[in-house]
Amino acid sequence: MSEAPGEATEKAADEATEPPPGPAVPGHQDADWLRLDPRTVLVRVVLFSGVLAGAALPVTFALAGPRPLWQAVAWVAAGVVLALLADIAAETVRLRRTRYRVGPERVELHTGLLVVQRRSLARERIRSADLTANPLQRVLGLVKVRIGTGEHTGGGDSTLELDLVTRAEGERLRHELLARPAAPEAPDHAPSLATLDPRWIRYAPVSFLAPALGGAAAGAVMQVSEWFGAQGKVIDWIGDRFQDVSIPWTILVLVLVATVAGAVGALGLWVEMWWNYRLEREPGGTLRVSRGLFTARSVSIEERRLRGIELVEPLGVRAFGAARVDAVATGLVKDDDDKHADLKNLLPAAERAVADRVVAQVLREPEPPTGAPLAAHPRAARTRRVRWALGSVLVPVAVLALLGLLLTPVLLYVAAGCAVVLGPVAVLFALDAYRALGHGVSGAYLVTRSGTVRRATVALQRSGVIGWTVKQSYFQRRAGVLTLTATTAAGAGAYDILDAGRSQGLTFAARAVPDLLTPFLEPVPTPEARSTER
């Protein structure tokens, strides 16, 4: 038997705490160990059955080619039954071999049969206890508890997952593990900071998710038709519909259809993600975000781990005067099991006034730092962006023109069209990117803004900045600008102030976080003023 020890548990400590086999007996050493809910076997078997059903259909059609249909169905049915029996046995063993306990100093989880895993987390290092439940789990009153330290370590050693326990047990664990001494609340900050406004759904179709979902829908149609051997028929049917339409119009119509399908998908996904949304402040200084229609999610963020706020304005959302609010906090690790659970999201895309209000309330500030006036960057930054934009257009145009000279004159017309259409668009994006640049200080927060397709304004606690990185390329040196990067232990870990003036940027960094960059700065000597006396 091999052992895979957990994050910080030594082998001797594991052997000392290993529970003896058998059920818990009152008054026995094993009495404080708890088991997962027995219905976890039912949930996992039902989910596995859905996977088997989805795989059985294409396998049946594949086997039905060289043999009769009834024989293919019989083979697939036998395989499904055997797989279900094996899954039931495996899940039953997993349930009996999994147990956990919350001690005064550590949370321990023991599981495994052939490979025994004994893992534990120190309670003082626990930073999150998040609850999730899919529709089946919600019907049965079960939740998955994800306990984490917030450290970005490999192998999942910074998290423990209890899959599954009752909702009451999950809430008990969350309150117990995140319990902190209650801090006096400011009288002007209510516990409920934001609740769902159904009008926010209008921002879902203008997000970048809509075209991505449209493309995924088109790909799914072609993939499913290929499974049934009907892909050629689908292509022929589309061709018959557009046989009297020119190719450019055909492409335009298909793109519009995919966009509409993506917009509908974005609406549905928004409802699933943000239904029952609520942002509240709990006693002890914890922010809790609960949301989800089918899969309920509950994420807790301790305010002492909060280092700032990021106000995100994607291009489509910004055009309608809206913004999203994300937390800049330590200890937030993306949940790989739930692709729709971005743990840093505090507020979906909403009106800018609502976003500013939530920022101020979350940070306990009278005014949102993200709305503070920012210093503009020098014109050299604008010139650099215009050059990059024109270069990104001229390079493919030049390639098309060269191929047109070598192959066919048609490509020359394509190159000219790209230059006429894409050139002005690229310049507009470059000018917008320059207008977005800015930096400043608002009270205890350092503020930086950049981006055009995804404009982000970050308000970062000045006390949370642990280092500065100054970067200057050859072309930046010639233009007299540089890029400053504020390093922090939270969020993305580093936030850039792009193309600031050389003296402007260094002076700002020295004043924003005193004594951090000042020892590395050298004053530039200036010539003494010439006397005017004769």
Side-chain angles (χ1 to χ4, degrees):
M1 183 179 297
S2 60
E3 296 182 357
E7 172 196 314
T9 310
E10 298 182 357
K11 183 175 180 181
D14 282 328
E15 292 176 351
T17 58
E18 171 70 0
V25 179
H28 193 272
Q29 176 186 358
D30 190 37
D32 54 350
W33 286 85
L34 302 172
R35 296 187 184 274
L36 303 179
D37 192 280
R39 290 171 294 178
T40 184
V41 175
L42 173 62
V43 172
R44 285 178 167 263
V45 169
V46 170
L47 294 178
F48 187 63
S49 300
V51 174
L52 290 177
L57 190 60
V59 171
T60 300
F61 280 99
L63 294 177
R67 57 179 57 85
L69 180 61
W70 67 267
Q71 190 176 9
V73 172
W75 277 102
V76 172
V80 168
V81 171
L82 290 176
L84 280 178
L85 292 177
D87 186 58
I88 292 173
E91 292 300 332
T92 302
V93 172
R94 185 187 74 91
L95 175 66
R96 295 183 60 85
R97 293 290 300 175
T98 301
R99 57 188 69 189
Y100 67 95
R101 70 176 174 183
V102 179
E105 297 182 356
R106 311 191 70 84
V107 178
E108 300 172 81
L109 175 65
H110 292 184
T111 186
L113 178 61
L114 298 179
V115 178
V116 179
Q117 292 186 342
R118 302 175 177 133
R119 302 178 51 215
S120 68
L121 298 177
R123 290 190 59 173
E124 62 182 10
R125 298 172 60 189
I126 291 176
R127 297 293 180 265
S128 64
D130 303 327
L131 312 181
T132 58
N134 61 37
L136 178 59
Q137 294 165 357
R138 293 177 66 182
V139 169
L140 298 177
L142 304 176
V143 296
K144 178 171 70 173
V145 182
R146 191 169 186 265
I147 305 169
T149 64
E151 299 174 349
H152 297 263
T153 59
D157 291 339
S158 62
T159 61
L160 295 180
E161 289 191 356
L162 306 180
D163 190 8
L164 302 155
V165 297
T166 63
R167 172 165 289 279
E169 173 67 4
E171 291 290 347
R172 183 191 70 82
L173 290 171
R174 193 182 72 85
H175 285 290
E176 182 176 353
L177 296 176
L178 299 181
R180 301 289 185 267
E185 300 289 340
D188 56 337
H189 291 293
S192 178
L193 305 183
T195 56
L196 177 68
D197 186 343
R199 293 176 298 177
W200 296 344
I201 195 174
R202 67 182 183 269
Y203 302 118
V206 297
S207 67
F208 291 109
L209 191 61
L213 291 176
V221 170
M222 301 306 295
Q223 182 63 54
V224 172
S225 63
E226 184 181 7
W227 288 347
F228 292 94
Q231 190 177 83
K233 294 181 180 179
V234 172
I235 296 175
D236 293 339
W237 182 87
I238 296 175
D240 293 340
R241 304 285 80 76
F242 295 95
Q243 58 181 354
D244 298 328
V245 183
S246 63
I247 293 180
W249 280 107
T250 300
I251 296 176
L252 179 61
V253 171
L254 292 178
V255 169
L256 289 177
V257 171
T259 302
V260 172
V264 174
L267 290 172
L269 186 60
W270 188 95
V271 172
E272 199 285 322
M273 289 177 59
W274 293 104
W275 198 254
N276 294 324
Y277 161 79
R278 185 178 181 87
L279 171 63
E280 54 190 346
R281 175 177 283 117
E282 296 183 325
T286 299
L287 298 173
R288 183 180 186 183
V289 181
S290 54
R291 58 188 176 94
L293 177 61
F294 299 117
T295 300
R297 307 171 182 89
S298 174
V299 179
S300 300
I301 303 175
E302 292 180 297
E303 289 187 82
R304 66 175 185 171
R305 296 191 287 124
L306 198 63
R307 296 294 179 267
I309 286 292
E310 184 175 14
L311 194 73
V312 183
E313 302 170 274
L315 182 61
V317 172
R318 175 160 51 94
F320 287 85
R324 187 183 78 234
V325 178
D326 292 346
V328 178
T330 61
L332 292 181
V333 181
K334 185 173 179 60
D335 189 353
D336 295 329
D337 296 334
D338 189 352
K339 301 303 180 182
H340 305 316
D342 198 342
L343 303 183
K344 66 178 181 295
N345 291 156
L346 296 181
L347 180 75
E351 296 87 347
R352 180 58 189 267
V354 175
D356 287 336
R357 175 180 59 81
V358 170
V359 169
Q361 290 183 326
V362 168
L363 298 180
R364 299 179 184 269
E365 295 287 333
E367 297 293 334
T370 50
L374 303 179
H377 288 206
R379 292 184 178 181
R382 180 181 63 185
T383 303
R384 282 172 50 81
R385 273 147 186 78
V386 172
R387 287 176 178 173
W388 277 105
L390 292 178
S392 64
V393 173
L394 291 178
V395 169
V397 167
V399 172
L400 288 174
L402 179 61
L403 293 177
L405 293 175
L406 297 177
L407 301 176
T408 173
V410 175
L411 293 179
L412 294 176
Y413 295 103
V414 175
C418 290
V420 171
V421 175
L422 298 181
V425 173
V427 171
L428 289 176
F429 273 100
L431 295 177
D432 183 69
Y434 170 71
R435 285 192 297 268
L437 292 178
H439 62 275
V441 172
S442 177
Y445 293 89
L446 178 156
V447 184
T448 176
R449 185 180 64 203
S450 62
T452 179
V453 176
R454 181 190 182 273
R455 180 174 296 178
T457 305
V458 179
L460 186 64
Q461 283 182 356
R462 296 160 65 183
S463 59
V465 177
I466 59 177
W468 285 104
T469 302
V470 182
K471 295 178 289 186
Q472 195 175 36
S473 67
Y474 169 76
F475 296 102
Q476 283 180 312
R477 287 197 299 271
R478 292 193 58 182
V481 297
L482 51 78
T483 295
L484 287 166
T485 302
T487 305
T488 181
Y495 295 92
D496 294 330
I497 301 174
L498 302 173
D499 287 343
R502 184 159 40 209
S503 59
Q504 175 195 39
L506 295 176
T507 303
F508 167 76
R511 292 179 178 176
V513 188
D515 302 328
L516 190 59
L517 189 63
T518 303
F520 302 96
L521 299 180
E522 295 182 2
V524 178
T526 57
E528 294 183 1
R530 187 175 53 184
S531 175
T532 58
E533 296 182 0
R534 294 183 182 271

